[in-house]
Amino acid sequence: MWKEELIKTLDRKKATITFDSHLFDRKEYWNLDLDKIEETVRIGSIFEEKCEMPNKLCFQRHFGKENITYTVIARYHKDFIEVKTAWPKKGR
């Protein structure tokens, strides 16, 4: 219930998305694609297991052509979404 309320407060398709410095530390190691991370936040499905109150949501999106799934943990703020960390996984 609280997740739906949080999503209603900020339209994730139009909101500003920022990236935590921790993500850039991991970018080289995981070979992360920032465009895919942003797309995951904007249109990915909510991954219930990693969500925490009051403002931490987790999103997942599968990219079929590359056969890779991105998992992204983000924090909702008043007027932007901050991506804290992300990691890819082969397959679904």
Side-chain angles (χ1 to χ4, degrees):
M1 184 70 156
W2 64 272
K3 293 176 208 92
E4 290 82 17
E5 293 296 321
L6 189 59
I7 287 178
K8 286 180 187 176
T9 61
L10 192 60
D11 182 8
R12 64 180 170 147
K13 291 187 170 106
K14 296 178 184 174
T16 303
I17 295 177
T18 63
F19 300 97
D20 188 78
S21 60
H22 171 73
L23 183 76
F24 293 109
D25 294 341
R26 304 183 82 195
K27 185 178 181 210
E28 298 278 329
Y29 179 78
W30 286 104
N31 195 24
L32 297 174
D33 184 344
L34 295 180
D35 292 331
K36 284 185 174 44
I37 292 172
E38 185 173 338
E39 186 176 339
T40 301
V41 171
R42 294 201 187 278
I43 61 175
S45 60
I46 294 177
F47 184 53
E48 303 280 337
E49 295 174 26
K50 301 277 184 183
C51 296
E52 290 180 10
M53 285 183 71
N55 66 346
K56 179 178 160 187
L57 290 180
C58 184
F59 302 100
Q60 274 192 336
R61 175 146 168 71
H62 180 72
F63 296 91
K65 199 170 204 176
E66 297 89 358
N67 192 27
I68 197 163
T69 301
Y70 269 81
T71 304
V72 178
I73 294 179
R75 290 213 181 263
Y76 267 63
H77 296 278
K78 186 177 179 181
D79 48 358
F80 67 96
I81 299 171
E82 180 185 22
V83 174
K84 296 301 269 181
T85 190
W87 61 92
K89 180 178 89 170
K90 280 285 188 196
R92 283 198 179 264

